[in-house]
């Protein structure tokens, strides 16, 4: 199967390459919804990463290890291009990966990482966003799938933890 074809995301492969590249991350998105109890399909792996030049270098190493190309145009990205964006959507040998830089609290990297929990995935320790962070990201995105995820998580957990989000709740 070529990179241009859709395939199931391989979170274990993404995490292995992130670890090998020295890329700090927390798993967010669909896999974090699943880890927080609502079993559903996902089409990509989403990683929240910190900001800064060290992260830019680690992202470049990760992209190289994962044979990544920007999804919209199949371009191999140079460090100068990586450092200018807050969100990268790439196709890799592990499926589609979204890399997002932490934003303002409570969805900044440090807050999300400090509230994350670890799971074991094929012998690897994987940091997953906790329920409070997942709720924040889903509220902020506010797509139909995100609203459905919130409803399903609420049916599982009861009242969801909600932190005020700048720009959304102010």
């Amino acid at each position: 199967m070529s990179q241009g074809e859709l395939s199931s995301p391989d979170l274990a492969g993404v995490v292995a390459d992130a670890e090998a590249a020295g890329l700090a991350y927390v798993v967010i998105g669909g896999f974090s919804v699943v880890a927080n109890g609502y079993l559903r399909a996902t089409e990509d792996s989403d990683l929240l990463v910190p900001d800064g030049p060290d992260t830019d270098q680690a992202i470049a190493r990760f992209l190289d290890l994962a044979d990544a190309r920007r999804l919209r145009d199949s371009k191999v990205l140079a460090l100068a291009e990586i450092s200018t964006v807050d969100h990268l959507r790439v196709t890799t040998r592990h499926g589609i990966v979204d890399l997002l830089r932490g934003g303002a609290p409570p969805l900044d990297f440090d807050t999300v990482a400090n509230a994350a929990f670890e799971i074991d995935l094929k012998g690897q320790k994987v940091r997953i966003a906790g329920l409070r962070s997942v709720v924040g990201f889903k509220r902020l995105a506010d797509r139909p799938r995100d609203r459905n995820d919130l409803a399903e998580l609420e049916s599982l957990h009861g009242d969801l933890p909600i932190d005020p989000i700048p720009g959304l709740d102010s």
Side-chain angles (χ1 to χ4, degrees), residues 35-86:
N36 278 279
Y38 171 42
L39 299 179
R40 69 148 170 95
T42 186
E43 60 211 23
D44 58 13
S45 301
D46 301 284
L47 303 181
L48 181 71
V49 299
D51 207 359
D54 290 341
T55 298
D56 296 340
Q57 295 278 344
I59 289 172
R61 290 188 299 273
F62 168 78
L63 296 178
D64 185 53
L65 288 169
D67 299 326
R69 294 178 175 274
R70 188 167 49 196
L71 187 63
R72 67 180 154 100
D73 60 6
S74 296
K75 182 175 183 182
V76 174
L77 298 170
L79 182 60
E81 295 162 304
I82 293 166
S83 64
T84 63
V85 296
D86 292 328

